[in-house]
Amino acid sequence: MIKNVIFSLLLITAPFSALSQSVWVDYSLVLKPGSQARTAAAVSEYLGSNEKFEGLAIFNAEVINGANPQTHNLAIIYEDQESWDRSLSALTGSAEREKFLATMRSNGEVIGETAYLHVAGWGQPGNEGTQYIGFAMKVSNPKRYVDLLSEYAEQPGNATEIAGIDLYQVLAGAPGGVTHVVVISAEKRYQFMERYNSPEFAKYLRKFASVREVLGVNYADNISFSGGLSIETLRKE
C-alpha cells in the first residue's frame, strides 16, 4: 500500500541555524508498468496549482539504480522547514489529497522516505527535463568537502560550467552509513561525464576521497516539475 506521500515524515530535528535552508523530502516509488503517465498527471493536477502547496514537486524516472527496486522518485523541495510544515498542515484532510492518494495507491507504492537539508550548490540547478546523477556518500569532514568543491568550481573548464552540483545533508530516513548526497543536474549526462573523466577532475576526485566515501550512484531523468516554487530557491542560504 502506498503511504501518505507529502504526508508523514514530520518529526525531524535540525540545528537552529539550518532552519532557513531549503529542504528536500524524497519519496522512493515502485510504480506498476504503464502507470508513469497517470502518476505524472496526478502529481501535476494535485500540486501544480495548489495554493496550499508551497513547494516544488520534481517527478523523476530511474534509469540506472543498481539492485534498488525503485522505479521513480518524487522529490519535494521546500524553501525552508517552516514552509514544509505549513504545507503539510494545510494539505492534510482535504478531499483533493484523498483523491491524489487513491490514484497513487492504484499506481504503485512508496518504499522509502528520506529528508535532506541543502548545504551548498554550484552551477545552475537543473530545470524541467534535466538528467540527474546522484552520489550517496559518507562524508567525514563536511566543511572540508564544501571547501574543496568550491575550489574546484573556480577552476577553468570545471563541470559547473555545464551542470549543477548540489550537496545535501541527510536529516532522516537514509540507508545506514549515508550522511550526504550530491546531485548532479545536467541537460545531458554525457556532458558532465566528459568533464568528470578529465585529468583536471581526476585531481580533485583524489582530494574528495580524503573526506568522503561514495556508497552508491544512480541515474534518473526528470519527467515533470509541479508547483509555484522556483528551483532557484534551492540555493537560498
Side-chain angles (χ1 to χ4, degrees):
M1 295 292 290
I2 204 162
K3 295 186 233 175
N4 291 348
V5 183
I6 319 278
F7 339 102
S8 68
L9 190 75
L10 296 177
L11 301 179
I12 286 179
T13 60
F16 179 78
S17 60
L19 294 179
S20 64
Q21 292 174 259
S22 55
V23 175
W24 163 23
V25 186
D26 193 75
Y27 300 91
S28 301
L29 309 175
V30 175
L31 297 185
K32 298 175 183 177
S35 65
Q36 176 176 290
R38 292 193 300 274
T39 303
V43 172
S44 177
E45 180 182 352
Y46 178 53
L47 298 176
S49 57
N50 192 329
E51 294 181 355
K52 296 178 181 179
F53 175 58
E54 299 183 30
L56 175 66
I58 301 175
F59 180 49
N60 305 310
E62 296 294 327
V63 177
I64 296 177
N65 202 25
N68 190 331
Q70 174 180 325
T71 63
H72 296 75
N73 78 297
L74 183 61
I76 311 295
I77 304 296
Y78 294 99
E79 184 174 4
D80 50 34
Q81 295 190 60
E82 184 179 357
S83 65
W84 176 20
D85 290 344
R86 276 198 308 269
S87 289
L88 287 165
S89 296
L91 293 168
T92 299
S94 68
E96 292 82 2
R97 173 179 177 273
E98 294 307 315
K99 177 184 176 183
F100 172 66
L101 290 177
T103 301
M104 296 295 285
R105 291 186 187 103
S106 70
N107 289 337
E109 62 177 323
V110 172
I111 61 169
E113 302 172 341
T114 310
Y116 304 92
L117 188 71
H118 190 257
V119 176
W122 302 265
Q124 279 295 112
N127 291 300
E128 190 170 60
T130 197
Q131 296 184 344
Y132 296 109
I133 306 173
F135 294 88
M137 301 178 299
K138 181 179 180 180
V139 179
S140 59
N141 189 335
K143 183 180 184 305
R144 177 59 177 157
Y145 189 37
V146 170
D147 290 344
L148 286 170
L149 284 166
S150 297
E151 180 183 311
Y152 168 72
E154 295 177 354
Q155 304 305 306
N158 75 83
T160 66
E161 294 176 354
I162 49 86
I165 300 178
D166 287 280
L167 175 65
Y168 298 86
Q169 171 192 337
V170 171
L171 289 175
V178 177
T179 64
H180 292 75
V181 170
V182 163
V183 177
I184 310 299
S185 51
E187 184 176 351
K188 298 295 182 183
R189 261 183 301 272
Y190 77 84
Q191 295 172 336
F192 171 80
M193 293 308 299
E194 287 176 347
R195 308 283 178 108
Y196 183 85
N197 292 323
S198 69
E200 293 80 9
F201 208 147
K203 180 177 69 174
Y204 276 90
L205 286 175
R206 290 191 290 272
K207 293 182 179 182
F208 298 159
S210 68
V211 295
R212 65 98 175 97
E213 176 186 0
V214 176
L215 302 179
V217 182
N218 78 303
Y219 286 6
D221 289 347
N222 176 251
I223 299 169
S224 65
F225 279 22
S226 302
L229 188 70
S230 168
I231 190 65
E232 301 295 335
T233 306
L234 187 64
R235 299 292 176 78
K236 172 188 171 184
E237 303 297 344

